[in-house]
Amino acid sequence: MSAATTDAPRGAPSGALSSGTIGVLLRYGGLFIVDAFALLLIYMLAADGVWELAVFIAIVTIIVNIINLREDLKPLRWISPALALMALFVIYPIIYTVYVAFTNYGDGNFYPKGSLVNQLLEMQFVPDDGVEYDYTAYRNEAGEYALWLTDADGKHFFITVGNAMTPATLPENGELPESYEGYTLLPNSERFRALQDLENIAFGEGENLIGIRSGNAVASKDRYAHDAAADTLTDLQSGVVYTGDDSIGFFVDKTGYEAALAADTAADIQPFLLANERFSRGAGYRILVGLNNFERFFTSPALNGPLLRIFLWTVTFALLSVITTFSVGLLIALLLQANTPGKRFFRTLLIVPYAIPALISVSVWKGMLNDNFGVVSNFLESILNTQIPFFSDPVWAKVGILLINLWLGYPYFMLVCSGALAAIPSDMYEAAKVDGANTWQQFQSLTLPMLLVAVGPLLIASFTYNFNNFVLIEAYNEGGPPIFGTPTPAGHTDILISYAFRLAFGTGRGADYGLASAITIVIFAMVVVVTLFQFRFTGSWEETSKNV
Amino acid sequence: MFNTMAMQKEKPKRTDDGNYRQSQQFWTGIRIIILTLLSIFALFPVVWVVSASFNPSQSMQSQSLIPAGIDSPEELLTNYNTLLTTKPFTRWVTNSVITSTITSVTTVMITALSAYSFSRFRFSGRRSLMLFILLVQVFPNLLAMVAVYLMLLQLGEYLPFLGLNTLGGLIMVYVGGAMGINIWLMKGFFDSVPRDIDESALVDGATHWQTYWMLIFPLVRPILIVVGILSFVGTFNEFVLARVLLLGNEDAKTLMVGLWGFIGDNFAKDWGIFAAGAVLGAIPTLVIYLLLQDQIVGGLTQGSVKG
């Protein structure tokens, strides 16, 4: 990507030729490195069937090449590193979010069908009649493991990954050798740590594999057999035949599945599949599910139970946050505007909340409001004689959040309003005074309207910011206290974005990236509406477009 | 007509001059009282957490504003000692500093190039491209979190240093996400440099690269440094993406993610240690913001006037 940091020679003066030649060389060299790197990545991604990313990287690489090779696109060369990065880390995620919203991507349906089958085919199991060995682990300098095996008859073998088992002889002293065929005996201290690695390794080659299961080395076999024509996976351990059903994205035991479905016709397919244990469900894979996620989001009573409540709180929270922070900020700006003594001193003190990392601020407040020991709640308790449950009560939790957000947010409006107030021409005040307006009238009919013109767009920006103010909600109480009786984890102080986050990365129920992405898109649509409104309301888009 | 009214209005004021001054003083007094109260509201949490950090008893329950029962000055640093010796605090700080430094330097370098091009070259599609960049930025970074997570998960299988749970991946996401807004910001700065300067250089036969690197870049460097520092601070304090993308790697935790770890069941008990971490974690940002107060205020108010 450094390719674009160099510029082609302008050609004209011969004195600049040598540095120009270096520039060209640097550019081609840089481009070559970027291309080689990208090609390797594309190749690896495509080989594993991660097409979406492979194709996107390919397109970006081609565009970067065209820009840097064509003389008439010279101005774009300067921009190409920024464009490439933006494409990969902003635009691709947006496109991918849309794609995921139309899939059943989630913990239960993680891989595309092809790579799922490949992974299952690598799985091993230990048949009941398998031979067991005692084992000791060895490792070579490359970090590859090998096993020293002893069977029930006391015969010794040595086995590495990819090579068949070979008979081995114990040294005369009867103790295992410190090193063998380039492998060193694993010291005791590392054995436990290595166990996890060892359990995932199949030693040996071909059909005769050895795996570590519950402390023994045992001969293992392939667990699954795949019949591509019939699209069936046979579990060789249990003998169950699973058939791939591309309409639901699962390998299922057909008869069991159909019986269960017939018994519960109203079932919502996705959660039904993930939760139902009345039939034998095989592994799930990723498929396109059309509008299913959106449908679930809007129609399923199980999901939209907390949804309306969360939406209302999101809007209320954003609105109240803007109103409170703006009011206090404006008040301070007005107080600081007149020739108050110590103006700069007060401004420096009052700016402090703005200068502290939000996470730290929220956490400190969290401590101060702590139900039992927090200084603020203790103080309130001593006055009111009753404990204020800032975290366990839905209403008080919301009050706490708004209080903290006021503390976090007023300095911004204080600064912005100070600037805007200073920009109001003083002769307008003179004129108003001449007209006999008192202070309140001046404020009402002159200061406020003038101020709102300047600050209006920022009020709306603040609204959209708070609409997605994830840090505050998450750091305060992780959306809690929880709403009881909802099928998806949701809390009384959850806003849409934190709710989507909980669905995507939530604990317990497993991740549901498809649904979370669908909600993301819905939130995005709302943000777009607000933004369009903002542009329309302020005309700032036209103004911005003109100023480019 | 207005004039006569004004004259009528002015008259009583002049006669009550003493009264007027008194009421002025009264209002100034009220102002100062309100400002003092608000300052207490603003500063109390800060004072409280600083006090907690020096309080040798680590629990929230036994904290008093002035640490009590101190026998020796070393006792004041109990929490700091515990933090530095029993928690991987220095590791978190190192991670944060690495991440923020690389992010801010890369961001400034790359966006300055683009901004120069947008400011100085005229090419077809320039306007649409700039507006497109602005429009893309409307999509909140946070909303793409799921996609970014899945993307790093996939990338990490092939490029381990850019995958999930690595600082490399996090840095790339930060850098990529900050492009749009910074290009706009910097283009404004470049526009403020008179074009005559580079045009005369170009006439003299300098290449665009030479003009940029030797003439324009040194001119805008002070502003680039401010932008870089603010980008550093923003990255240093970022928590949401860092938490999600570094979830599975204790060693890669940044300071904010590490501090977040204190807030759990034992929050009331570990309060003192958290306070020490919070104070140390907030100092860099606080100092930078207070030092750059005027620049920040300037930037904000400029935004408010421009919309």
Side-chain angles (χ1 to χ4, degrees), chain A residues 151-289:
Chain A
D151 71 4
D153 303 331
K155 281 188 196 142
H156 299 282
F157 303 94
F158 196 75
I159 190 165
T160 61
V161 178
N163 295 310
M165 190 152 62
T166 51
T169 32
L170 208 57
E172 305 248 315
N173 61 10
E175 282 182 24
L176 292 173
E178 278 298 318
S179 62
Y180 191 85
E181 291 181 359
Y183 291 85
T184 325
L185 184 66
L186 217 55
N188 269 331
S189 54
E190 287 186 38
R191 278 185 200 171
F192 186 72
R193 273 227 316 257
L195 193 62
Q196 216 179 353
D197 294 336
L198 289 172
E199 279 181 346
N200 294 319
I201 301 175
F203 293 92
E205 51 102 36
E207 296 275 291
N208 305 308
L209 295 172
I210 298 281
I212 308 276
R213 299 289 178 276
S214 46
N216 283 319
V218 277
S220 58
K221 283 185 180 168
D222 283 344
R223 168 100 186 252
Y224 290 100
H226 184 230
D227 181 344
D231 197 15
T232 56
L233 265 179
T234 309
D235 184 344
L236 297 171
Q237 188 174 18
S238 62
V240 180
V241 179
Y242 296 103
T243 315
D245 187 336
D246 287 346
S247 66
I248 54 171
F250 275 97
F251 281 102
V252 289
D253 168 13
K254 255 215 158 117
T255 44
Y257 169 63
E258 272 153 18
L261 205 58
D264 188 359
T265 46
D268 188 5
I269 293 292
Q270 178 80 10
F272 171 78
L273 279 166
L274 288 173
N276 205 316
E277 281 162 13
R278 276 174 294 175
F279 66 93
S280 169
R281 174 173 61 80
Y285 49 91
R286 206 192 317 159
I287 53 160
L288 285 169
V289 292

Side-chain angles (χ1 to χ4, degrees), chain A residues 5 7 45 48 75 82 88 90 93 110 347 357 359 363 366 407 410 419 454 471 474-475 497 501 520 524 545, chain B residues 41-42 114 117 123 127 136 139 143 145 147 151 153 158 208-209 237 240 243 256 260 263 274 293-294 301 304:
Chain A
T5 57
D7 192 18
L45 286 167
D48 277 7
L88 270 180
V90 180
F110 197 82
R347 196 185 79 175
L359 177 75
S363 313
K366 194 180 166 169
W407 191 83
Y410 81 81
V471 178
E474 192 67 9
I497 182 86
F501 174 85
T520 301
F524 180 52
S545 322
Chain B
F41 173 62
S114 309
S117 175
F123 50 95
R127 226 176 81 101
V136 164
F139 192 91
L143 288 184
M145 202 157 55
M151 177 179 161
L153 194 69
Y158 312 99
H208 267 291
W209 176 249
N237 296 340
V240 178
R243 178 177 159 222
M256 291 302 144
W260 169 253
I263 305 162
F274 163 78
Q293 215 182 111
D294 292 326
T301 46
S304 79

Side-chain angles (χ1 to χ4, degrees), chain B residues 97-174:
Chain B
V97 169
I98 293 174
T99 311
S100 314
T101 309
I102 300 180
T103 303
S104 55
V105 172
T106 320
T107 304
V108 168
M109 288 315 228
I110 292 182
T111 48
L113 280 178
S114 309
Y116 175 79
S117 175
F118 279 125
S119 170
R120 290 306 197 257
F121 292 107
R122 289 291 172 272
F123 50 95
S124 59
R126 168 176 163 280
R127 226 176 81 101
S128 339
L129 197 57
M130 277 220 80
L131 292 179
F132 173 73
I133 287 175
L134 185 67
L135 209 59
V136 164
Q137 213 65 37
V138 172
F139 192 91
N141 205 343
L142 205 64
L143 288 184
M145 202 157 55
V146 176
V148 168
Y149 176 88
L150 294 173
M151 177 179 161
L152 289 192
L153 194 69
Q154 290 174 343
L155 269 184
E157 305 227 346
Y158 312 99
L159 305 172
F161 57 96
L162 286 185
L164 214 53
N165 300 324
T166 63
L167 292 182
L170 186 67
I171 289 170
M172 292 301 270
V173 173
Y174 284 153

Side-chain angles (χ1 to χ4, degrees), chain B residues 176-203:
Chain B
M179 288 287 120
I181 204 75
N182 282 323
I183 290 177
W184 270 82
L185 196 66
M186 293 218 193
K187 179 188 165 282
F189 297 142
F190 279 107
D191 282 347
S192 68
V193 177
R195 287 189 70 113
D196 311 350
I197 296 180
D198 40 324
E199 263 160 21
S200 60
L202 288 172
V203 168

